[in-house]
Amino acid sequence: METVLALLTGTMVAGSVFLMLGKNLVRFIFGLMLASNAVNLLIFAAGRPDTSRPPLIPQGSLQPVAAVANSLPQALILTAIVIGFALLAFIFILFLRAYQQLGTVDTEAMTNSESGNQDTAPSERPRP
Amino acid sequence: MPSFILRAANRILVGLILVFSVYLLLRGHNAPGGGFSAALVAATGFALFAIAEGPQPVRQALRIDPLVLVAWGLLLAIGSGLMAVVTGQPYLTGLWWPADATVDTPAVGTPLLFDVGVFLAVLGTILTLILHLEES
Amino acid sequence: MNGLLVAPIIVPFAAAALALLGRRRPLFQHVSALTVAAIHLVAGGWLLYQVHHQGIAVLHVGGWPAPFGIALVADHLSALMVLITGVVYGAVVVYSRAEISADDIRRGYYPLLHILVGGISGAFLTGDLFNLYVWFEVMLMASFALLVLGRTRAQIKGGVTYVVINLFATLLFLTGLGMVYGMTGTLNMAHLHLKLRAVADPGQVAAVSVLFLTAFGIKSGLFPLFFWLPASYHTPPVAVSAIFSGLLTKVGVYALIRTFTLIFPFGSSGLQELVLAAAALTMITGVLGAAAQSDIRRILSFHIISQVGYMVLGLGLFTPLALAGAVFYLLHHIVVKANLFLISGLIRQRGGSFALKRIGGMYARGLLALLFFIPAFSLAGFPPLSGFWAKMILIRSSLDSGQFVLAGVAAAVGLLTVYSMTKIWNEAFWKPMPTTETAIVQNRVSVWMTAPVVALVLLTVCIGFWPEPFVQLARTAAEELLDPMAYVYTVVGEMR
């Protein structure tokens, strides 16, 4: 099980690094999604997945009746997914705005338009 | 113009989804469910509504600005923790009425309030995002 | 009375909710923000008083004992940082009254500011590694949104760089966290201190600690990971860049100090040498980068980097005096740097621009000149201002440790800082106002903008002339950091 997870995580990280190193921001988002899922898998593997029984206490008893899965990694992953989701929503909107304002999703083209707006006082800000 | 079938089905589906989200919210303390997942389900319902009818009818149906939902959700979640502080226990300790409630007897507690707060805050945030994106 | 530990966290969040409810009433938002900042400051002061007199305070949130639940812990370092956060918070809120445009307020400036401060306070107070991750995210999300609030081209471009690099840092942090959990089965920092000693393979621990070093290094702007900082810090409104420059990178430095004293104390892994080298290069590259700039806020942004180098130098030397120096430097730097950014806003008001070539003749404005002079030359380390003591402690401790090269670098970088500050002084104050440009010059600067600057200048002077109590607090903080057993016992108690 761990071997499979480790291989899968490795493949996903490799793919995500490939995507993130490209100069297209849309590719970067996909790379980021892949990477955050790879990290989630890593946390899951670190929690030593051994049984498939959910960590629930049946009605009427005070403790689990049989060995159950470790629930903490799942809680950590859930939190990480929630946060990742919120960040992703934000980054989508930001990149959409960047595309609308700068007219490109190419990071090199963005950097090249650097000159000329070093000093942007609020009074001279363009409004969308 | 959205499809007629979607609009017709929408009327039933959105209601069902919202009822299910409330069920998830109330079930949350002792079984899988809870404020966050309930809010996601409710947001799905409103998203369906927005796809079928457009964002403006959703705003009208909601009656209140989603950001107000976020604010009340935050206040409720923070306030539910403060009740324990008033009774001299650490912040966010769960308090139950009646205090000797078990799994089988119905009880109301601060974790439920916290869950409702989470529900409102998450629902408000997602709705703000969805409606904003639909309108732009 | 450890219940008060949550106050610095939940008060800003409640304020955010209130600001959302009154989002169409700017006046209500200002008043509530002022009130809340005052409460935050008082809570921070009270927390420091408690910690100083009764020892480390711990709160097990929800009544769950460590290491099962999340613990909030305040030792001297945490309490000092929360207090100084309150100071900057208050100054920025007052300043915002006059500086933030109605448009930005409508887009949610105040709620985001409160959430940012809530996240920063949470990061300073938490005793749980995963919780630290959550606070980092809260903080980052609010800072992303604040950074691009005005939606100008420059802001969005800076925002993209900032978001991309910081998200990557976050993923590294999360990876390290997962691995630490896999090795030890716990995420409570105090418990980790005990558990990681028992890990048989030191190579594994060292490898994971490098992940943390990289992640927090990106957050704090350490060489060679700082490129996102000067790309973004000069774009938002002045109040926002002041709170960013004062606090955001310092959360990274705080996390570095906490991690490498409590969780992975420097051993024989060679990491200490790496940190020292990074610190020296950070100081040098930051100050050289600043020398090449001609926009006030860009110069100041590069100086954040070089100053972070000094703090990390204190951590890397890892002696009681050096750590005390790092803590003292943090305090001095947050006040001075946030203030310099606020002053850059005053200069812009008077001169119409941040670009040095477009402004001049500020010398005639006596008060403004004085207000700039004190923090600028405190930053450069002129006696008897606060920066002098901070630099002196660090250089002294480098000499004590036999690190003569590092001491030389620290002194030389101080001199180069003087060069940058003199450049701003010459261009903005001595040089006559260029007549080719017709800039919008306002003759009256709002008292809302001057008052916080004056207050922070007075604080700088105060730290400069009476450094003793501050040094004493920093020394106590350093002792707690170097001997974390008191912290560990307070948090996990008898359970080991």
Side-chain angles (χ1 to χ4, degrees):
Chain A
M1 183 69 181
E2 266 99 347
T3 323
V4 178
L5 281 176
L7 286 175
L8 190 57
T9 313
T11 320
M12 283 168 78
V13 169
S16 74
V17 168
F18 173 72
L19 284 172
M20 283 199 277
L21 287 178
K23 55 183 179 178
N24 186 326
L25 280 182
V26 181
R27 279 185 156 213
F28 177 84
I29 294 188
F30 289 130
L32 194 74
M33 283 160 73
L34 205 55
S36 64
N37 284 321
V39 175
N40 289 343
L41 264 186
L42 182 131
I43 298 178
F44 183 63
R48 301 193 177 75
D50 50 357
T51 72
S52 53
R53 216 180 290 268
L56 290 174
I57 302 169
Q59 286 222 329
S61 54
L62 290 172
Q63 57 195 39
V65 284
V68 293
N70 184 356
S71 61
L72 188 67
Q74 303 183 15
L76 300 184
I77 292 169
L78 181 66
T79 316
I81 289 176
V82 170
I83 292 175
F85 164 77
L87 282 174
L88 214 59
F90 176 81
I91 205 174
F92 262 114
I93 294 177
L94 176 69
F95 285 3
L96 180 69
R97 289 237 181 274
Y99 176 63
Q100 286 168 344
Q101 288 242 333
L102 309 169
T104 178
V105 286
D106 184 327
T107 43
E108 268 178 34
M110 275 185 189
T111 326
N112 291 341
S113 65
E114 176 87 20
S115 55
N117 52 13
Q118 292 209 345
D119 172 41
T120 322
S123 52
E124 48 198 60
R125 281 180 196 164
R127 291 288 173 207
Chain B
M1 193 63 202
S3 89
F4 177 72
I5 300 176
L6 182 59
R7 292 181 64 178
N10 180 36
R11 291 175 187 279
I12 309 165
L13 278 178
V14 171
L16 277 178
I17 290 174
L18 290 183
V19 171
F20 181 63
S21 87
V22 174
Y23 165 73
L24 269 182
L25 171 65
L26 294 179
R27 180 177 196 263
H29 194 67
N30 290 321
F36 183 75
S37 47
L40 288 187
V41 170
T44 327
F46 283 112
L48 189 63
F49 196 2
I51 291 169
E53 305 276 354
Q56 204 46 45
V58 178
R59 287 205 191 269
Q60 276 163 9
L62 267 174
R63 283 159 201 273
I64 35 177
D65 191 326
L67 280 175
V68 176
L69 286 183
V70 178
W72 283 115
L74 258 178
L75 284 179
L76 208 59
I78 294 171
S80 73
L82 282 178
M83 283 184 205
V85 178
V86 173
T87 62
Q89 280 160 296
Y91 185 71
L92 276 180
T93 306
L95 298 177
W96 291 93
W97 297 281
D100 56 347
T102 59
V103 179
D104 298 317
T105 54
V108 182
T110 51
L112 183 67
L113 269 184
F114 186 80
D115 249 6
V116 174
V118 171
F119 176 82
L120 290 177
V122 173
L123 179 63
T125 315
I126 298 179
L127 282 181
T128 311
L129 270 175
I130 290 178
L131 295 178
H132 185 77
L133 282 177
E134 282 270 330
E135 276 158 7
S136 68
Chain C
M1 257 326 280
N2 290 341
L4 208 90
L5 266 173
V6 288
I9 303 172
I10 62 171
V11 166
F13 280 104
L18 283 179
L20 274 179
L21 285 178
R23 70 199 177 293
R24 296 193 205 294
R25 297 190 205 92
L27 188 67
F28 168 75
Q29 295 198 20
H30 292 308
V31 173
S32 66
L34 285 173
T35 322
V36 161
I39 297 175
H40 189 278
L41 187 60
V42 170
W46 199 83
L47 195 62
L48 182 61
Y49 178 83
Q50 284 288 311
V51 170
H52 194 60
H53 290 277
Q54 290 170 14
I56 298 169
V58 60
L59 175 76
H60 301 286
V61 177
W64 301 98
F68 304 109
I70 290 170
L72 296 180
V73 193
D75 60 355
H76 271 83
L77 178 61
S78 299
L80 278 170
M81 295 306 284
V82 170
L83 179 60
I84 209 83
T85 305
V87 171
V88 176
Y89 187 25
V92 165
V93 161
V94 174
Y95 198 86
S96 305
R97 176 78 178 91
E99 203 247 341
I100 299 299
S101 69
D103 270 344
D104 285 348
I105 291 180
R106 202 167 37 76
R107 294 202 189 102
Y109 169 76
Y110 277 107
L112 289 169
L113 180 70
H114 296 314
I115 292 174
L116 180 68
V117 173
I120 292 172
S121 312
F124 286 148
L125 284 173
T126 187
D128 184 282
L129 209 51
F130 194 78
N131 198 231
L132 181 65
Y133 163 76
V134 173
W135 291 125
F136 262 110
E137 298 294 342
V138 168
M139 211 169 79
L140 280 177
M141 211 132 32
S143 63
F144 293 163
L146 279 173
L147 196 59
V148 296
L149 206 60
R151 302 179 188 170
T152 65
R153 286 174 64 96
Q155 287 184 352
I156 286 180
K157 211 158 43 186
V160 169
T161 318
Y162 182 88
V163 164
V164 163
I165 306 221
N166 276 291
L167 279 181
F168 188 69
T170 297
L171 283 177
L172 287 178
F173 183 13
L174 196 59
T175 312
L177 227 153
M179 291 194 165
V180 163
Y181 178 72
M183 286 192 291
T184 61
T186 183
L187 288 167
N188 181 297
M189 294 188 206
H191 201 207
L192 277 174
H193 177 78
L194 301 172
K195 282 276 194 166
L196 274 172
R197 283 188 196 166
V199 173
D201 186 358
Q204 213 177 354
V205 179
V208 174
S209 64
V210 172
L211 276 174
F212 283 92
L213 179 65
T214 317
F216 296 147
I218 292 177
K219 304 268 183 205
S220 52
L222 210 57
F223 179 87
L225 312 162
F226 60 78
F227 294 98
W228 56 272
L229 197 154
S232 54
Y233 269 28
H234 63 288
T235 59
V238 174
V240 174
S241 57
I243 202 161
F244 280 16
S245 65
L247 295 172
L248 278 194
T249 43
K250 263 46 81 184
V251 181
V253 175
Y254 167 84
L256 278 176
I257 293 181
R258 185 63 82 203
T259 314
F260 288 99
T261 53
L262 183 61
I263 303 174
F264 308 102
F266 287 125
S268 52
S269 57
L271 209 59
Q272 194 172 357
E273 286 74 16
L274 186 66
V275 169
L276 283 175
L281 288 169
T282 311
M283 287 191 271
I284 297 169
T285 42
V287 89
L288 291 183
Q293 298 296 324
S294 62
D295 175 294
I296 299 180
R297 287 207 285 178
R298 284 193 178 225
I299 295 178
L300 294 176
S301 298
F302 271 102
H303 276 297
I304 299 176
I305 298 165
S306 80
Q307 309 275 310
V308 162
Y310 281 98
M311 298 166 211
V312 176
L313 169 70
L315 170 67
L317 290 171
F318 214 60
T319 61
L321 187 66
L323 269 172
V327 175
F328 188 84
Y329 213 111
L330 270 169
L331 299 178
H332 138 77
H333 171 85
I334 291 174
V335 172
V336 165
K337 184 56 87 178
N339 201 11
L340 278 173
F341 269 88
L342 293 180
I343 291 166
S344 77
L346 294 182
I347 294 179
R348 208 256 324 268
Q349 287 269 313
R350 288 297 176 107
S353 178
F354 288 115
L356 287 176
K357 63 174 187 287
R358 290 202 208 160
I359 52 176
M362 301 277 177
Y363 187 66
R365 322 268 184 204
L367 179 65
L368 182 57
L370 183 70
L371 288 181
F372 172 78
F373 190 85
I374 292 176
F377 289 90
S378 169
L379 189 78
F382 270 40
L385 295 162
S386 57
F388 168 70
W389 304 110
K391 285 198 170 62
M392 195 189 76
I393 298 175
L394 281 173
I395 292 174
R396 167 83 197 275
S397 57
S398 317
L399 292 175
D400 285 351
S401 313
Q403 301 280 7
F404 300 111
V405 180
L406 288 171
V409 167
V413 169
L415 276 179
L416 285 169
T417 311
V418 179
Y419 165 73
S420 279
M421 292 301 131
T422 326
K423 185 164 82 182
I424 300 184
W425 178 257
N426 280 342
E427 295 282 325
F429 290 90
W430 274 135
K431 183 184 75 180
M433 181 80 183
T435 45
T436 47
E437 309 256 353
T438 46
I440 327 109
V441 181
Q442 277 155 311
N443 277 320
R444 273 195 75 251
V445 172
S446 165
V447 68
W448 291 100
M449 287 168 80
T450 330
V453 171
V454 172
L456 291 183
V457 165
L458 288 179
L459 186 58
T460 311
V461 173
C462 183
I463 299 179
F465 280 96
W466 293 279
E468 195 48 36
F470 298 93
V471 172
Q472 211 51 51
L473 282 172
R475 272 178 176 271
T476 323
E479 276 159 24
E480 281 173 1
L481 289 171
L482 278 177
D483 182 22
M485 282 331 273
Y487 184 101
V488 173
Y489 283 130
T490 319
V491 177
V492 292
E494 296 308 306
M495 210 230 70
R496 259 162 289 150

